[in-house]
Amino acid sequence: MNFEQSDDRRMLSETLRRYLADSYEISHRNAVAYDAPFHDPTKWAELTELGLFYALVSEDRGGMGGHGFDIVTVFEELGRALCPEPVLGQLMAASLLTDADPLMAGTRYTLAIGESDAPYDLQDITTSCVNGRLTGRKSVVYGAPAAEILLVAARQNGKIALFEMPAENAEITGYGMIDGGPAGEVFFDDTPATLLLEDAENALQNAMDRGALALCAEALGAMEVVQDTLVDYLTTRKQFGQPLGAFQALQHRAIDVAIEIEQARSIVILAASADGTEAFAKRAAQAKHLVGKIARLVAEEAIQMHGGIGITWEYPLSHYAKRLVMIDHQLGDTDWHLERLMKGLAGGS
C-alpha cells in the first residue's frame, strides 16, 4: 500500500491548514462554537469559495475527490483546528444526493437519522411517511439549526426511505453541543417532504460509515495537536528544578500516547483504502471502535499529565479533550461498533 499523499491531496491539506490556522484561532473558535448559531456563516462562505465541498464529491458528479482519502485529508485538518463548521452533514449528504451542485455551491445540508430510542440503528427508526408527509422526531441532528436542506430517514411501506425538504418546513429546536458546534431536535407533524430514495437503507448506512471515517480522521487531527501540546508542556514546565519530561514515568506515558495515535492513524488509513469496496462497512466499524477508545485515552492522559490547567476554559487542551471524548458518541460509540463487528463475525463476514 502506498502511504504517500497524492500531490492534489497534499495541496488540499496545506491550503486548508493555512486557512484554518489564520481563520480559526482558538479564541475565535470558542467565541462562535458555543453561542448561536454555533458556527461562523462568514467562514462557511469562505470555505465554499475555497472549494472545500468539491473535495467531498466524486469527479463523475462534478467534484474533485469524494474518496475515503479525500475525506481523511479534509477532516484531519478540521480536527486539527477544532473547526465547528457543520461539514459532517455536508459529507453524508454528498454520499446520497444525485445532484450535488447546490451542496458544492455552499447550500448547507444535514442528514437527520438518529432518534431518542434509535440513536444509531436504522432498523429502530420510527419516524414515518404517509402520502408524502412526515411524522416523528429526530434527535441530536448535527448541523440542524444551520441547515438549509434536510435529508430525513423515515419508514414508508415497511422500508427505510430517504426524503428531502427545506429545513424551514420542519420545527427545529437548536442548541450547541457540549464540545461546540450546532445540533438540534427536529420535529415533523404531517410535514410535506419529497421522496429521494424508496429503499435507502444501504445508502444511508454507507453515508453513516463515511461519516464515521470522517470523525475518525477529525479525532486524528485533534489528537496530534494534543500530543504536541503535551510534549511542549512536559519539556517546558519544571518541578523540583527539572522539566516534567525528565521524569521517567511521564516519559513512558507520553510514549504510550504517541504509540496509540500511530495505531489510530493506521486503522484510519486502512478504512479509507477500503472506501468503495465490500469491506468498507467492516473497516469503518473497526476504525470507529478503535479510534473511539484511543481518543478517550489520549484526552484523559493529556489532562492527567497537565494537572489542573488542563481543564481550564482558557487552555485549548480542555476543548480538544471535550471534542475527543464526544466524537465517540457520534454515529455509533465503541460498544455499538463492537456489537456490529461481532454480528458480522457471527454471520461469517
Side-chain angles (χ1 to χ4, degrees):
M1 183 183 295
N2 182 6
F3 292 97
E4 295 291 328
Q5 275 189 324
S6 67
D7 290 341
D8 288 344
R9 288 176 186 137
R10 189 180 303 111
M11 188 182 303
L12 172 63
S13 173
E14 292 172 355
T15 302
L16 195 51
R17 186 176 301 189
R18 280 198 301 272
Y19 170 78
L20 292 170
D22 292 339
S23 304
Y24 265 101
E25 197 271 332
I26 190 70
S27 60
H28 175 74
R29 182 267 173 192
N30 289 345
V32 300
Y34 297 108
D35 288 320
F38 309 106
H39 78 117
D40 187 338
T42 302
K43 302 301 181 193
W44 181 273
E46 291 176 0
L47 287 169
T48 302
E49 288 183 12
L50 208 59
L52 174 66
F53 306 126
Y54 282 80
L56 307 179
V57 180
S58 59
E59 291 184 11
D60 61 349
R61 292 191 295 145
M64 297 186 301
H67 189 269
F69 285 117
D70 299 302
I71 295 171
V72 170
T73 300
V74 169
F75 278 85
E76 187 173 350
E77 295 306 326
L78 295 175
R80 193 184 301 278
L82 214 58
C83 180
E85 299 300 328
V87 183
L88 181 64
Q90 207 81 342
L91 167 68
M92 292 196 289
S95 304
L96 296 163
L97 293 171
T98 303
D99 178 10
D101 288 349
L103 182 147
M104 290 186 286
T107 298
R108 287 189 294 272
Y109 284 77
T110 199
L111 181 58
I113 301 177
E115 301 176 0
S116 56
D117 292 327
Y120 309 132
D121 201 327
L122 293 171
Q123 285 300 321
D124 295 333
I125 286 176
T126 59
T127 298
S128 61
C129 184
V130 177
N131 297 326
R133 292 180 173 273
L134 290 171
T135 300
R137 170 182 176 176
K138 296 293 183 182
S139 292
V140 198
V141 178
Y142 312 119
E148 297 168 87
I149 303 291
L150 294 177
L151 301 183
V152 185
R155 287 193 174 279
Q156 179 178 256
N157 299 326
K159 296 179 180 178
I160 303 297
L162 180 67
F163 298 86
E164 181 184 56
M165 69 168 62
E168 61 188 12
N169 287 1
E171 180 184 346
I172 299 175
T173 302
Y175 46 79
M177 294 192 292
I178 191 170
D179 53 332
E185 303 296 299
V186 184
F187 301 87
F188 308 103
D189 184 9
D190 204 29
T191 308
T194 302
L195 178 65
L196 286 187
L197 285 172
E198 190 171 349
D199 186 358
E201 185 169 346
N202 290 338
L204 282 165
Q205 189 59 62
N206 183 60
M208 292 172 68
D209 288 337
R210 287 165 67 81
L213 173 63
L215 289 169
C216 291
E218 183 185 344
L220 197 56
M223 285 191 288
E224 290 194 336
V225 174
V226 169
Q227 184 188 18
D228 291 344
T229 303
L230 176 61
V231 171
D232 181 67
Y233 183 76
L234 293 180
T235 53
T236 55
R237 177 81 164 87
K238 291 186 177 180
Q239 200 163 45
F240 305 114
Q242 55 185 335
L244 287 174
F247 295 97
Q248 195 174 51
L250 294 181
Q251 289 175 9
H252 288 177
R253 291 173 69 175
I255 291 297
D256 286 344
V257 166
I259 292 171
E260 293 291 342
I261 293 173
E262 284 307 304
Q263 288 191 357
R265 177 171 293 283
S266 296
I267 196 116
V268 169
I269 290 172
L270 181 63
S273 70
D275 186 27
T277 71
E278 290 184 0
F280 180 59
K282 178 180 177 181
R283 299 304 184 206
Q286 289 173 328
K288 190 67 168 58
H289 168 68
L290 183 60
V291 171
K293 291 200 298 184
I294 291 175
R296 177 182 289 273
L297 173 73
V298 169
E300 291 175 349
E301 282 291 85
I303 287 178
Q304 280 280 323
M305 284 185 268
H306 269 80
I309 190 175
I311 57 172
T312 58
W313 181 269
E314 293 78 10
Y315 199 59
L317 174 63
S318 64
H319 302 281
Y320 280 90
K322 275 197 293 185
R323 182 68 191 128
L324 286 174
V325 171
M326 293 310 297
I327 278 178
D328 183 39
H329 299 284
Q330 287 184 261
L331 299 178
D333 59 18
T334 54
D335 290 340
W336 187 78
H337 281 287
L338 181 60
E339 287 180 10
R340 198 177 161 205
L341 290 166
M342 291 170 66
K343 288 178 183 175
L345 286 173
S349 62

